Amino acid sequence: MMAGDDENPGRGRGGNGGNAGGGGVGNDEPADTGADTERGGAPPKDAEEDTDSTGRASFKRRTEDRARDKKAKEVRSAIRKELASDETHDDAQADTPDEIAAAKKPAVIALQDVSLAFDVPVLEKISFEAREGETVVIVGESGTGKSTILKLILRLLVPDEGRVLIDDEDVTPLSFEDALKVRQKMGMVFQGAALFDSMTVFENVAYPLREHTDMTEDEIEERVREKLGFVDLEPDEVMDKLPAELSGGMKKRVGVARGIANNPEIMLYDEPTSGLDPLTTATITRLIKKLQMELGVTSVVVSHDIRSAKWMGTKIAVLHDHKIAFFGTPEDMIACEDEYIKDFLGGLG
């Protein structure tokens, strides 16, 4: 047995098999190991230390491999979800015959770069269209100019800049008399219904017919009954009642009946669900949808109720900072990644 082995029993020089002799000089060990020995430093690591080191390295590699595998799975899962979402979106956005026909319909209402200020800006460069049979719902925070847009459409206000078109006619330069003629195309449902307190339900609904048509009394009564029935009110039960005898939801429905009495092609609503309980809100929302689906009415609705807006609107305009922050379908609004839109929706899904 070599002297080096006697002096260092059990000191295996792992990895240097076949070079047991030589006392560490002239063997195949790295130079720095020999230097350490000459300086009286620590001898080479023993087999147990090497095993521990190898084990730690192996564990580290396994941990890194698992982390990479996990990350790869997450990436693959995210890609699959995105592809599935794209397929769903593509299906939802597919150009069906009805959608193609809707896109070809003319714009009944159009605002083009409309700006208006009262000492301070109210609206800045507002542009959107409501095509035939569409319901555009305008939502936004209080004081953003939602109701002002209705007044511009009615030509109760004139913009400082831009154009407001009704059936391709710019109403901004019209005289008062000509503006009245344009308004005959429109029905209006005011916030709180705004019924005449001293008139019966029949007289309230008949009012625009007596003011703007040459219909006989029999024809007026027939029309009033028709419109009350359309809004799910029983004519014989409500026609002789005063507004004070009606519930909030019934007043709203009478207001809608009066708005559609003259068969307008355009309906404008100012906060139609304001102050109503959830069930009555759903009733009014269904009624607005019914007008669009069954009568093909083009509507613009001002609302703070984003859930109703999502259900009744074919398009939604979100006002923010005097401008339109978003205009598109309810589905696109929900999917919008804009930070303000997400904050405004408050997690609505």
Side-chain angles (χ1 to χ4, degrees):
M1 181 176 292
M2 303 290 293
D5 291 335
D6 290 338
E7 293 174 356
N8 297 292
R11 184 189 300 274
R13 295 186 177 87
N16 290 318
N19 294 313
V25 178
N27 62 11
D28 292 332
E29 291 179 353
D32 59 336
T33 302
D36 287 342
T37 304
E38 290 175 0
R39 290 193 299 267
K45 293 181 179 180
D46 59 21
E48 182 178 353
E49 290 173 336
D50 285 348
T51 302
D52 289 345
S53 176
T54 302
R56 285 194 297 270
S58 177
F59 176 79
K60 182 179 179 181
R61 284 195 299 272
R62 289 197 302 271
T63 302
E64 290 174 346
D65 289 342
R66 284 196 294 267
R68 280 194 295 270
D69 290 343
K70 181 179 179 183
K71 184 65 177 178
K73 289 179 181 178
E74 289 175 349
V75 170
R76 289 194 294 270
S77 177
I79 292 173
R80 284 195 295 269
K81 288 180 180 179
E82 184 173 349
L83 291 174
S85 175
D86 287 344
E87 290 175 359
T88 302
H89 181 75
D90 289 341
D91 291 341
Q93 297 298 320
D95 291 333
T96 65
D98 288 344
E99 289 170 334
I100 294 172
K104 292 180 179 179
K105 289 182 178 179
V108 177
I109 301 169
L111 274 67
Q112 299 177 348
D113 294 324
V114 168
S115 296
L116 181 66
F118 301 113
D119 296 328
V120 295
V122 178
L123 300 172
E124 294 181 358
K125 299 296 182 182
I126 297 293
S127 297
F128 72 86
E129 292 182 346
R131 295 187 174 274
E132 183 180 317
E134 284 188 333
T135 298
V136 174
V137 184
I138 303 172
V139 298
E141 301 174 62
S142 298
T144 52
K146 301 187 298 293
S147 296
T148 301
I149 290 178
L150 294 185
K151 294 174 183 177
L152 288 166
I153 294 171
L154 285 164
R155 213 277 189 180
L156 296 174
L157 291 174
V158 177
D160 298 328
E161 297 177 7
R163 304 197 303 163
V164 179
L165 284 75
I166 305 298
D167 289 332
D168 286 329
E169 179 182 12
D170 186 1
V171 301
T172 54
L174 295 183
S175 65
F176 178 76
E177 291 76 14
D178 289 338
L180 284 177
K181 293 176 183 177
V182 172
R183 288 183 201 137
Q184 301 313 307
K185 301 177 180 182
M186 307 178 193
M188 179 73 194
V189 178
F190 299 92
Q191 186 173 354
L195 301 177
F196 297 112
D197 293 337
S198 61
M199 294 183 178
T200 64
V201 168
F202 175 82
E203 291 168 334
N204 267 282
V205 179
Y207 182 82
L209 302 176
R210 288 173 172 159
E211 286 291 313
H212 304 298
T213 73
D214 296 325
M215 297 173 68
T216 66
E217 283 301 310
D218 288 343
E219 291 171 333
I220 289 174
E221 180 175 350
E222 182 180 356
R223 179 71 65 82
V224 170
R225 287 179 173 276
E226 174 193 342
K227 300 308 179 186
L228 288 174
F230 187 85
V231 299
D232 299 322
L233 291 173
E234 179 54 52
D236 289 331
E237 293 182 4
V238 301
M239 284 200 307
D240 294 330
K241 291 185 176 181
L242 293 171
E245 301 175 85
L246 305 176
S247 67
M250 292 175 72
K251 289 178 183 178
K252 291 280 189 179
R253 283 186 278 174
V254 172
V256 173
R258 182 179 62 184
I260 64 175
N262 212 17
N263 292 331
E265 63 175 277
I266 297 170
M267 282 295 294
L268 306 176
Y269 303 84
D270 190 5
E271 300 284 5
T273 61
S274 177
L276 300 179
D277 63 79
L279 290 177
T280 307
T281 293
T283 298
I284 298 301
T285 301
R286 284 194 298 269
L287 179 55
I288 294 172
K289 190 74 173 179
K290 181 180 177 182
L291 284 168
Q292 181 222 342
M293 299 296 292
E294 296 187 15
L295 302 183
V297 174
T298 303
S299 302
V300 176
V301 183
V302 165
S303 180
H304 69 284
D305 187 344
I306 192 64
R307 292 188 181 275
S308 292
K310 177 187 172 185
W311 196 85
M312 76 175 86
T314 52
K315 297 286 178 62
I316 296 181
V318 180
L319 286 183
H320 173 57
D321 196 23
H322 319 301
K323 300 178 178 69
I324 292 182
F326 171 86
F327 184 80
T329 65
E331 293 77 15
D332 288 341
M333 178 184 67
I334 298 301
C336 183
E337 291 298 320
D338 181 86
E339 286 300 321
Y340 175 77
I341 301 301
K342 290 196 290 186
D343 289 344
F344 179 76
L345 296 178
L348 177 68

